[in-house]
Amino acid sequence: MDFTLNDEQRQLQQLARDFTRKEIIPIASEYDQKEELPWQVVEKAFEVGLLNPSIPEHAGGLGLGMFDECLIGEEIAYGCMGIYTVLMASELGIAPILIGGTEEQHRRFLTPLTEKAGLAAFALSEPNNGSDAAAMGTTAVLDGDEWVINGTKMWISNGGLAEVTVVFATTDKQGGHKATVALVVPKDAPGFSYNKIKHKLGQRASLTSELVFENVRVPRENQLGGLGDGFKIAMKTLDKTRIPVAAGSVGIARRAMEESIKYAKDRAAFGRPIAEFQAIQFKLAEMAIGIETGRLMYQKAAWLVDQGQPHGFESAIAKAYCSEMAFNAANEGIQIHGGYGYVAEYPVEKLLRDVKLNMIYEGTNEIQRVVISRNLLK
Ligand code: CAA
């Protein structure tokens, strides 16, 4: 066991921390209010090497592992979970290409993302199904050497903006998960359009879309894995990408704790700083307990991924635990700030709005408990 970061990891963490302080924290509130994705941050992240770092070296990328990706994630989410979701959801779009694709497909779809700032997306959920992912209604029909896609996807981060979108579709609606296929759809495919979803509670700097496919044609070479592999590619992807959600949650909780410490030292009541009251101290202590515990859990899950070991159980625990822990930290952060916590002048209200989504996307926390308990009982 060794809990120390190596020199490269420390540098990476510092790079992400500096980037967050300089490029994200100053604009986070503005873009949250405007409900707009700050594209300049994506470009700057690309310039410094923080965008799509998991793209392997054989496709021209850095080939960072999950542990390193999560180190970056905790720092960026500290500044803004919405902006982090833009970067994280791109990794979510890249993961199924890495899992189900050949090296030729890695190069064809991912090398362009190493040449200029660009995003990927992952399209699984639909207007009428989310948790029951195998029950998808989007269809893919083979016509000669092309797949023809029809249907609607919902709640897609980076949807419509991404250069490549991995779309999960069914070849037979009665066929369940065995009839699913994963297809890579380029941004400019004719018949592919999107509608931005507005008025989200939080994470408003990230673009969330409804995707519409009307006779969208992609060549057969855009199919990842075999026919019927779509669902398993999606599940293997989520087993990995739930870990960065956990890491981002720890970043949010750390922000809630640090903002609360600052406020509690400044704010006086009954003739002394509120930090001197045990009621406040215990809230801070609870936050620290959660952050330290959560970080160990996401780091363990990420380490398992990098070791090539099974990690679905740990990833589900990390995602559920860290998002709920961070929700509580943000909630208590508001409580410590009192009335000031309830308005946008202080950052804690945004933390609560943002972190709520971490309990829902990439599988609700109820689904995480399904995954955990199935592992226990199998
Ligand atoms: N890895 C590999 N294979 C898996 C797997 C995994 N983690 N989980 C299941 N499978 C396999 C099973 O072994 C089984 O294969 P066989 O038929 O060969 O035995 C097959 O897949 C079907 O498995 P289940 O019967 O267990 O599947 P299920 O229909 O009961 O579903 C579920 C299981 C866990 C509930 C799954 O549907 C699920 O994870 N749902 C949540 C979906 C989700 O997380 N959506 C998030 C969307 S992404 C997002 O939020 C986007 C964003 O923009 C941020």
Side-chain angles (χ1 to χ4, degrees), residues 113-156:
L113 300 182
T114 68
E115 290 164 348
K116 71 178 180 61
L119 303 170
F122 176 93
L124 177 66
S125 301
E126 300 188 351
N128 294 320
N129 78 293
S131 293
D132 186 6
M136 59 188 82
T138 298
T139 57
V141 176
L142 208 49
D143 179 21
D145 276 344
E146 288 182 328
W147 281 107
V148 184
I149 309 169
N150 278 287
T152 307
K153 294 287 175 181
M154 193 67 177
W155 315 119
I156 309 306

Short mmCIF file of all heavy atoms in Angstrom, two decimals, residues 113-156:
data_model
loop_
_atom_site.label_atom_id
_atom_site.label_comp_id
_atom_site.label_asym_id
_atom_site.label_seq_id
_atom_site.Cartn_x
_atom_site.Cartn_y
_atom_site.Cartn_z
N LEU A 113 -9.65 14.50 -31.92
CA LEU A 113 -9.84 15.20 -30.64
C LEU A 113 -8.49 15.55 -29.99
O LEU A 113 -8.46 16.25 -28.98
CB LEU A 113 -10.66 14.34 -29.67
CG LEU A 113 -12.07 13.95 -30.12
CD1 LEU A 113 -12.77 13.15 -29.03
CD2 LEU A 113 -12.90 15.17 -30.49
N THR A 114 -7.42 15.02 -30.53
CA THR A 114 -6.09 15.38 -29.99
C THR A 114 -5.46 16.50 -30.82
O THR A 114 -4.43 17.05 -30.46
CB THR A 114 -5.12 14.18 -30.01
OG1 THR A 114 -4.83 13.84 -31.37
CG2 THR A 114 -5.70 12.98 -29.29
N GLU A 115 -6.10 16.82 -31.94
CA GLU A 115 -5.52 17.82 -32.85
C GLU A 115 -6.11 19.21 -32.64
O GLU A 115 -5.48 20.22 -32.92
CB GLU A 115 -5.71 17.37 -34.31
CG GLU A 115 -4.82 16.16 -34.61
CD GLU A 115 -5.20 15.41 -35.88
OE1 GLU A 115 -6.29 15.67 -36.43
OE2 GLU A 115 -4.40 14.55 -36.30
N LYS A 116 -7.37 19.26 -32.21
CA LYS A 116 -7.95 20.55 -31.81
C LYS A 116 -9.01 20.31 -30.75
O LYS A 116 -9.46 19.17 -30.58
CB LYS A 116 -8.52 21.29 -33.02
CG LYS A 116 -9.76 20.74 -33.64
CD LYS A 116 -10.16 21.69 -34.78
CE LYS A 116 -11.39 21.30 -35.54
NZ LYS A 116 -12.65 21.19 -34.91
N ALA A 117 -9.38 21.38 -30.05
CA ALA A 117 -10.34 21.23 -28.96
C ALA A 117 -11.65 20.67 -29.50
O ALA A 117 -12.24 21.24 -30.43
CB ALA A 117 -10.59 22.58 -28.30
N GLY A 118 -12.07 19.56 -28.97
CA GLY A 118 -13.32 18.94 -29.42
C GLY A 118 -13.80 17.97 -28.36
O GLY A 118 -13.02 17.51 -27.52
N LEU A 119 -15.09 17.66 -28.42
CA LEU A 119 -15.70 16.84 -27.37
C LEU A 119 -16.31 15.57 -27.96
O LEU A 119 -16.60 15.50 -29.15
CB LEU A 119 -16.81 17.62 -26.66
CG LEU A 119 -16.40 18.95 -26.02
CD1 LEU A 119 -17.64 19.73 -25.59
CD2 LEU A 119 -15.47 18.72 -24.84
N ALA A 120 -16.53 14.61 -27.08
CA ALA A 120 -17.29 13.40 -27.43
C ALA A 120 -18.54 13.37 -26.55
O ALA A 120 -18.63 14.11 -25.56
CB ALA A 120 -16.43 12.16 -27.19
N ALA A 121 -19.49 12.53 -26.92
CA ALA A 121 -20.72 12.39 -26.11
C ALA A 121 -21.18 10.94 -26.12
O ALA A 121 -20.78 10.15 -27.00
CB ALA A 121 -21.81 13.30 -26.67
N PHE A 122 -22.04 10.63 -25.16
CA PHE A 122 -22.53 9.26 -24.93
C PHE A 122 -24.05 9.33 -24.89
O PHE A 122 -24.60 10.05 -24.04
CB PHE A 122 -21.95 8.82 -23.57
CG PHE A 122 -22.37 7.49 -23.03
CD1 PHE A 122 -21.61 6.36 -23.29
CD2 PHE A 122 -23.48 7.38 -22.21
CE1 PHE A 122 -21.96 5.13 -22.74
CE2 PHE A 122 -23.83 6.15 -21.65
CZ PHE A 122 -23.07 5.02 -21.92
N ALA A 123 -24.71 8.64 -25.81
CA ALA A 123 -26.17 8.78 -25.90
C ALA A 123 -26.86 7.44 -25.63
O ALA A 123 -26.96 6.59 -26.51
CB ALA A 123 -26.56 9.32 -27.27
N LEU A 124 -27.31 7.28 -24.39
CA LEU A 124 -27.97 6.04 -23.98
C LEU A 124 -29.43 6.33 -23.57
O LEU A 124 -30.36 5.70 -24.08
CB LEU A 124 -27.19 5.41 -22.81
CG LEU A 124 -27.76 4.14 -22.19
CD1 LEU A 124 -27.73 2.98 -23.20
CD2 LEU A 124 -26.95 3.73 -20.94
N SER A 125 -29.62 7.29 -22.67
CA SER A 125 -30.97 7.56 -22.13
C SER A 125 -31.90 8.09 -23.21
O SER A 125 -31.47 8.72 -24.17
CB SER A 125 -30.89 8.59 -20.99
OG SER A 125 -30.06 8.12 -19.98
N GLU A 126 -33.18 7.86 -22.99
CA GLU A 126 -34.21 8.31 -23.94
C GLU A 126 -35.34 8.98 -23.17
O GLU A 126 -35.41 8.85 -21.94
CB GLU A 126 -34.73 7.11 -24.73
CG GLU A 126 -33.60 6.43 -25.51
CD GLU A 126 -34.08 5.35 -26.46
OE1 GLU A 126 -35.27 4.98 -26.40
OE2 GLU A 126 -33.24 4.88 -27.26
N PRO A 127 -36.23 9.67 -23.87
CA PRO A 127 -37.32 10.35 -23.15
C PRO A 127 -38.10 9.39 -22.23
O PRO A 127 -38.52 9.77 -21.15
CB PRO A 127 -38.21 10.89 -24.27
CG PRO A 127 -37.31 11.04 -25.45
CD PRO A 127 -36.27 9.95 -25.33
N ASN A 128 -38.27 8.14 -22.68
CA ASN A 128 -39.11 7.22 -21.90
C ASN A 128 -38.34 6.12 -21.18
O ASN A 128 -38.94 5.19 -20.64
CB ASN A 128 -40.16 6.57 -22.81
CG ASN A 128 -41.14 7.61 -23.31
OD1 ASN A 128 -41.55 8.50 -22.56
ND2 ASN A 128 -41.46 7.54 -24.58
N ASN A 129 -37.02 6.13 -21.22
CA ASN A 129 -36.28 5.17 -20.40
C ASN A 129 -34.89 5.66 -20.05
O ASN A 129 -34.21 6.27 -20.88
CB ASN A 129 -36.20 3.79 -21.08
CG ASN A 129 -35.17 3.74 -22.18
OD1 ASN A 129 -35.31 4.39 -23.19
ND2 ASN A 129 -34.13 2.98 -21.95
N GLY A 130 -34.57 5.45 -18.80
CA GLY A 130 -33.26 5.87 -18.29
C GLY A 130 -32.62 4.72 -17.53
O GLY A 130 -31.64 4.13 -17.97
N SER A 131 -33.24 4.37 -16.39
CA SER A 131 -32.68 3.30 -15.55
C SER A 131 -32.71 1.95 -16.26
O SER A 131 -31.78 1.17 -16.16
CB SER A 131 -33.45 3.22 -14.23
OG SER A 131 -33.22 4.38 -13.47
N ASP A 132 -33.80 1.69 -16.98
CA ASP A 132 -33.93 0.42 -17.71
C ASP A 132 -33.29 0.60 -19.08
O ASP A 132 -33.97 0.67 -20.11
CB ASP A 132 -35.41 0.03 -17.82
CG ASP A 132 -35.59 -1.35 -18.43
OD1 ASP A 132 -34.57 -2.04 -18.66
OD2 ASP A 132 -36.75 -1.72 -18.69
N ALA A 133 -31.98 0.66 -19.06
CA ALA A 133 -31.25 1.07 -20.27
C ALA A 133 -31.46 0.13 -21.45
O ALA A 133 -31.41 0.55 -22.60
CB ALA A 133 -29.77 1.19 -19.94
N ALA A 134 -31.72 -1.16 -21.18
CA ALA A 134 -31.87 -2.12 -22.28
C ALA A 134 -33.17 -1.91 -23.06
O ALA A 134 -33.31 -2.40 -24.18
CB ALA A 134 -31.81 -3.55 -21.73
N ALA A 135 -34.10 -1.17 -22.46
CA ALA A 135 -35.42 -1.00 -23.10
C ALA A 135 -35.42 0.15 -24.10
O ALA A 135 -36.43 0.83 -24.27
CB ALA A 135 -36.47 -0.77 -22.01
N MET A 136 -34.32 0.35 -24.77
CA MET A 136 -34.21 1.52 -25.65
C MET A 136 -35.13 1.40 -26.87
O MET A 136 -35.40 0.31 -27.37
CB MET A 136 -32.76 1.74 -26.06
CG MET A 136 -32.13 0.58 -26.77
SD MET A 136 -30.35 0.82 -27.00
CE MET A 136 -29.67 0.30 -25.43
N GLY A 137 -35.58 2.58 -27.34
CA GLY A 137 -36.50 2.59 -28.48
C GLY A 137 -35.86 3.11 -29.75
O GLY A 137 -36.44 2.99 -30.83
N THR A 138 -34.67 3.66 -29.66
CA THR A 138 -33.97 4.14 -30.85
C THR A 138 -33.55 2.93 -31.68
O THR A 138 -32.96 1.99 -31.14
CB THR A 138 -32.74 4.98 -30.44
OG1 THR A 138 -33.21 6.11 -29.72
CG2 THR A 138 -31.94 5.43 -31.64
N THR A 139 -33.88 2.96 -32.97
CA THR A 139 -33.64 1.78 -33.79
C THR A 139 -32.46 1.96 -34.74
O THR A 139 -32.16 3.08 -35.17
CB THR A 139 -34.88 1.44 -34.64
OG1 THR A 139 -35.21 2.58 -35.43
CG2 THR A 139 -36.06 1.06 -33.76
N ALA A 140 -31.83 0.85 -35.04
CA ALA A 140 -30.76 0.82 -36.06
C ALA A 140 -31.09 -0.31 -37.02
O ALA A 140 -31.28 -1.45 -36.59
CB ALA A 140 -29.42 0.59 -35.38
N VAL A 141 -31.19 0.04 -38.29
CA VAL A 141 -31.53 -0.97 -39.31
C VAL A 141 -30.41 -0.98 -40.34
O VAL A 141 -29.97 0.08 -40.80
CB VAL A 141 -32.88 -0.61 -39.99
CG1 VAL A 141 -33.19 -1.58 -41.13
CG2 VAL A 141 -34.00 -0.59 -38.96
N LEU A 142 -29.95 -2.18 -40.64
CA LEU A 142 -28.86 -2.31 -41.60
C LEU A 142 -29.41 -2.20 -43.02
O LEU A 142 -30.36 -2.89 -43.39
CB LEU A 142 -28.17 -3.65 -41.38
CG LEU A 142 -26.70 -3.78 -41.75
CD1 LEU A 142 -25.85 -2.65 -41.20
CD2 LEU A 142 -26.17 -5.13 -41.26
N ASP A 143 -28.82 -1.29 -43.80
CA ASP A 143 -29.21 -1.14 -45.21
C ASP A 143 -27.92 -1.21 -46.02
O ASP A 143 -27.17 -0.24 -46.09
CB ASP A 143 -29.93 0.21 -45.38
CG ASP A 143 -30.35 0.44 -46.83
OD1 ASP A 143 -30.47 -0.55 -47.58
OD2 ASP A 143 -30.55 1.61 -47.21
N GLY A 144 -27.66 -2.36 -46.60
CA GLY A 144 -26.39 -2.57 -47.29
C GLY A 144 -25.26 -2.45 -46.28
O GLY A 144 -25.25 -3.15 -45.26
N ASP A 145 -24.33 -1.54 -46.54
CA ASP A 145 -23.19 -1.37 -45.64
C ASP A 145 -23.38 -0.20 -44.68
O ASP A 145 -22.41 0.28 -44.09
CB ASP A 145 -21.91 -1.15 -46.46
CG ASP A 145 -21.32 -2.48 -46.89
OD1 ASP A 145 -21.72 -3.52 -46.29
OD2 ASP A 145 -20.50 -2.49 -47.82
N GLU A 146 -24.63 0.24 -44.54
CA GLU A 146 -24.89 1.38 -43.65
C GLU A 146 -25.94 1.04 -42.61
O GLU A 146 -26.91 0.33 -42.88
CB GLU A 146 -25.39 2.58 -44.48
CG GLU A 146 -24.31 3.22 -45.32
CD GLU A 146 -24.84 4.43 -46.08
OE1 GLU A 146 -26.04 4.44 -46.46
OE2 GLU A 146 -24.07 5.37 -46.29
N TRP A 147 -25.75 1.65 -41.43
CA TRP A 147 -26.78 1.59 -40.39
C TRP A 147 -27.66 2.84 -40.55
O TRP A 147 -27.14 3.94 -40.75
CB TRP A 147 -26.15 1.62 -39.00
CG TRP A 147 -25.57 0.31 -38.55
CD1 TRP A 147 -24.26 -0.02 -38.46
CD2 TRP A 147 -26.31 -0.83 -38.11
NE1 TRP A 147 -24.11 -1.30 -37.99
CE2 TRP A 147 -25.37 -1.83 -37.77
CE3 TRP A 147 -27.67 -1.13 -37.97
CZ2 TRP A 147 -25.75 -3.08 -37.30
CZ3 TRP A 147 -28.05 -2.37 -37.50
CH2 TRP A 147 -27.09 -3.35 -37.17
N VAL A 148 -28.96 2.64 -40.42
CA VAL A 148 -29.89 3.78 -40.48
C VAL A 148 -30.52 3.91 -39.08
O VAL A 148 -31.15 2.98 -38.58
CB VAL A 148 -30.99 3.54 -41.54
CG1 VAL A 148 -31.88 4.78 -41.65
CG2 VAL A 148 -30.37 3.18 -42.88
N ILE A 149 -30.29 5.07 -38.48
CA ILE A 149 -30.72 5.27 -37.08
C ILE A 149 -31.93 6.20 -37.03
O ILE A 149 -31.95 7.26 -37.68
CB ILE A 149 -29.58 5.90 -36.25
CG1 ILE A 149 -28.28 5.10 -36.44
CG2 ILE A 149 -29.93 5.99 -34.77
CD1 ILE A 149 -27.05 5.80 -35.87
N ASN A 150 -32.93 5.80 -36.23
CA ASN A 150 -34.10 6.64 -35.98
C ASN A 150 -34.45 6.61 -34.50
O ASN A 150 -34.43 5.54 -33.87
CB ASN A 150 -35.31 6.13 -36.78
CG ASN A 150 -35.26 6.61 -38.22
OD1 ASN A 150 -35.49 7.78 -38.51
ND2 ASN A 150 -34.91 5.70 -39.12
N GLY A 151 -34.79 7.76 -33.97
CA GLY A 151 -35.19 7.80 -32.56
C GLY A 151 -34.76 9.08 -31.88
O GLY A 151 -34.24 10.01 -32.52
N THR A 152 -34.97 9.12 -30.57
CA THR A 152 -34.66 10.32 -29.78
C THR A 152 -33.89 9.92 -28.52
O THR A 152 -34.28 8.96 -27.84
CB THR A 152 -35.97 11.05 -29.37
OG1 THR A 152 -36.73 11.27 -30.55
CG2 THR A 152 -35.69 12.38 -28.70
N LYS A 153 -32.83 10.62 -28.25
CA LYS A 153 -32.08 10.41 -27.00
C LYS A 153 -32.27 11.64 -26.12
O LYS A 153 -32.52 12.75 -26.61
CB LYS A 153 -30.59 10.20 -27.31
CG LYS A 153 -30.30 8.90 -28.06
CD LYS A 153 -30.45 7.69 -27.16
CE LYS A 153 -30.29 6.38 -27.90
NZ LYS A 153 -30.45 5.22 -27.01
N MET A 154 -32.17 11.45 -24.82
CA MET A 154 -32.51 12.53 -23.89
C MET A 154 -31.44 12.69 -22.81
O MET A 154 -30.82 11.71 -22.43
CB MET A 154 -33.86 12.16 -23.24
CG MET A 154 -34.53 13.27 -22.51
SD MET A 154 -35.05 14.57 -23.65
CE MET A 154 -35.86 15.68 -22.52
N TRP A 155 -31.27 13.90 -22.34
CA TRP A 155 -30.34 14.23 -21.24
C TRP A 155 -28.89 13.99 -21.65
O TRP A 155 -28.10 13.47 -20.86
CB TRP A 155 -30.64 13.43 -19.96
CG TRP A 155 -32.07 13.34 -19.57
CD1 TRP A 155 -32.83 12.23 -19.46
CD2 TRP A 155 -32.94 14.44 -19.22
NE1 TRP A 155 -34.10 12.54 -19.09
CE2 TRP A 155 -34.21 13.89 -18.92
CE3 TRP A 155 -32.77 15.82 -19.13
CZ2 TRP A 155 -35.30 14.67 -18.55
CZ3 TRP A 155 -33.85 16.59 -18.76
CH2 TRP A 155 -35.09 16.02 -18.47
N ILE A 156 -28.55 14.32 -22.87
CA ILE A 156 -27.21 13.99 -23.35
C ILE A 156 -26.26 15.17 -23.15
O ILE A 156 -26.40 16.22 -23.79
CB ILE A 156 -27.25 13.56 -24.84
CG1 ILE A 156 -28.32 12.47 -25.05
CG2 ILE A 156 -25.86 13.09 -25.28
CD1 ILE A 156 -28.21 11.24 -24.15
#
